[in-house]
Amino acid sequence: MRLAVFGAGRIGAVHAMNATAIPGVEVVHLVDPVADCDALAARIGARRSDAHDALSDDLDGIVICSSTDSHAELLLAAAERGLAVFCEKPISLDWPTVARVTEAVEASGIRCMLGFQRRYDPNFRAVRDRIASGQSGRLEQLVMHTRDPGPPPIDYVRRSGGMLRDQAIHDFDQARFMCGEEIATVYAVGNCQIDPAIGKAGDIDTLAVTMLTESGRMVTMTNNRRGPLGYDQRLEAHCAAEVLFIDNCPQTDVRIAGPSGQLTAPPMDYFIARFEAAYRAEMEAFAAWLQGGPAPLAGIRDGYEAQRLAEAAIASIATGQPVDLRGGWQP
C-alpha cells in the first residue's frame, strides 16, 4: 500500500513513522516545502517530492498533516483522483470551505478519515464503549478538562485557527462521541488571562463551554493554554449507575512514600507523548480500512460537526448568548 505524507512537522513525523511501521505500507512521498525533512525522508525510505509529483504517482492514499490552510485543497485533490485520505483536523479555517469540501468528499465516495486521536486512546475508548454498552446506565453529565502546559508560539496561534478550532475541537468531538448523539445548544465564555499577546492576535487562552445534547444530557468543558499540572487531560462521565473517570497519565507509575506523604510522577509533558498509543492505533485503523477492514471511528462528517460546534462557541462568546444548533444552524 503506497502512501504520500503531506507535512513533515511534529505531527507529520509521528504519522509518517507510524505508517512506515505497519507491514505492507510504504510511504513513497514526503511533501513539505518548508520543513527540513531530509533526515525523516531517509529514515522512512521516502522520496522528498512536491505536491504535483506526489499526487501524479500511483498511490493508494494520502496522509494530510500539513498546515491547516492546505487541507481543503488536498482533500479536493484526493476526491478528484479517487484516493483514500487521512486528514488532520480542522478541514479548513473558513466555514463555507468546510461545508463545500465535506460535500465534495462525501459525493466522491472516497474513504476519508479525520484525525481525532482521542477516539483511539485506550482510556477514552474504554469509557465510551462502557457507556455505549449500557453497563453504566444512561450518561447524564460529561465533564472534560484540557489544559496545555504553556501557551503556543504566537505565530502558531495566528495560523492555527485559534483555541476553539485547534485545541478545543477535540473536546467538541468527544462530546458527540461519548454522548452518542448530536449537540442541541452551546453556550461559551472565553477571554485572555494568561498571555496578552494571544489576545492581540485575536484569540483567547481561557475557555468554558456548556452544552446540551438533543436528549438533554449536559456537557461541560474547561480549556486553558497554561496548566500548572503540565499537560492536563481529564474526563468525568456521570452515569445513572456509575461514574467513570479518566485521570492524567503519569510519566511513570512509581509512587514514592515517606513520613511526610506520597509523591507521584508528573503527567506526560505534552500531547505527542500522552497520545502516543492513540496515534499509532488510528494510523493502523486507516491502513486496515484501506485493506478491506472496518470503517474508522471518525470520518469527514465528524470533522464537520466538531468544527460546527467550535464555530457555535465562537459565536456564543461574541454575542454572550447560547447558540441553538437545531434546525441546521450554520455560522
Side-chain angles (χ1 to χ4, degrees):
M1 186 164 59
R2 293 164 55 87
L3 300 177
V5 173
F6 290 79
R10 181 172 49 186
I11 195 62
V14 170
H15 289 320
M17 293 295 295
N18 285 338
T20 304
I22 300 171
V25 175
E26 180 185 7
V27 176
V28 293
H29 295 280
L30 183 62
V31 182
D32 196 314
V34 178
D36 181 6
C37 55
D38 288 338
L40 176 62
R43 186 174 181 182
I44 64 175
R47 183 164 73 251
R48 282 205 65 179
S49 307
D50 61 27
H52 178 269
D53 288 344
L55 291 170
S56 299
D57 200 355
D58 181 21
L59 298 173
D60 296 292
I62 64 174
V63 178
I64 303 173
C65 31
S66 46
S67 59
T68 298
D69 58 7
S70 69
H71 291 186
E73 182 179 356
L74 290 170
L75 282 163
L76 292 174
E80 292 170 2
R81 291 164 174 78
L83 296 173
V85 184
F86 174 96
C87 184
E88 275 295 331
K89 55 75 195 164
I91 297 166
S92 171
L93 300 182
D94 173 65
W95 179 255
T97 301
V98 172
R100 176 171 59 87
V101 170
T102 300
E103 291 174 2
V105 167
E106 290 181 335
S108 74
I110 64 168
R111 293 168 174 164
C112 183
M113 177 178 177
L114 261 287
F116 288 116
Q117 85 280 356
R118 290 185 198 175
R119 293 191 180 214
Y120 286 90
D121 176 77
N123 293 334
F124 282 83
R125 185 84 177 269
V127 168
R128 196 267 184 180
D129 288 349
R130 190 172 179 89
I131 293 170
S133 73
Q135 188 170 358
S136 301
R138 183 180 185 273
L139 174 63
E140 297 166 351
Q141 292 178 315
L142 181 68
V143 179
M144 294 177 286
H145 306 292
T146 295
R147 293 155 185 158
D148 293 335
I154 298 303
D155 285 345
Y156 179 81
V157 170
R158 292 192 182 102
R159 69 176 186 268
S160 68
M163 189 177 189
L164 276 298
R165 300 184 186 98
D166 173 51
Q167 184 215 58
I169 195 170
H170 286 286
D171 300 281
F172 290 122
D173 178 66
Q174 280 298 305
R176 297 179 62 246
F177 187 58
M178 290 289 176
C179 293
E181 62 176 322
E182 297 301 333
I183 303 299
T185 63
V186 175
Y187 175 67
V189 293
N191 58 25
C192 258
Q193 300 186 43
I194 298 167
D195 187 352
I198 291 178
K200 291 179 181 178
D203 196 17
I204 62 172
D205 56 31
T206 307
L207 171 72
V209 183
T210 300
M211 295 180 280
L212 287 177
T213 69
E214 291 182 343
S215 70
R217 292 182 172 97
M218 300 176 183
V219 180
T220 301
M221 294 165 41
T222 61
N223 297 66
N224 197 289
R225 286 297 198 184
R226 178 181 61 203
L229 291 178
Y231 187 53
D232 190 2
Q233 179 69 87
R234 290 172 287 148
L235 177 146
E236 176 186 320
H238 184 279
C239 304
E242 58 192 18
V243 182
L244 308 174
F245 296 92
I246 299 175
D247 292 322
N248 284 325
C249 292
Q251 294 180 18
T252 73
D253 291 325
V254 175
R255 288 186 296 117
I256 302 172
S260 60
Q262 298 188 30
L263 294 174
T264 59
M268 292 182 179
D269 59 354
Y270 216 40
F271 66 93
I272 295 293
R274 167 63 181 83
F275 291 110
E276 179 182 3
Y279 285 123
R280 187 167 56 248
E282 67 176 357
M283 191 53 60
E284 291 171 350
F286 178 61
W289 191 27
L290 269 60
Q291 295 170 331
L297 299 178
I300 194 163
R301 181 58 57 171
D302 296 299
Y304 172 96
E305 291 295 346
Q307 190 163 343
R308 193 164 76 103
L309 294 177
E311 301 294 341
I314 292 170
S316 179
I317 292 170
T319 63
Q321 299 297 319
V323 174
D324 191 331
L325 284 87
R326 290 168 291 190
W329 178 88
Q330 296 287 314

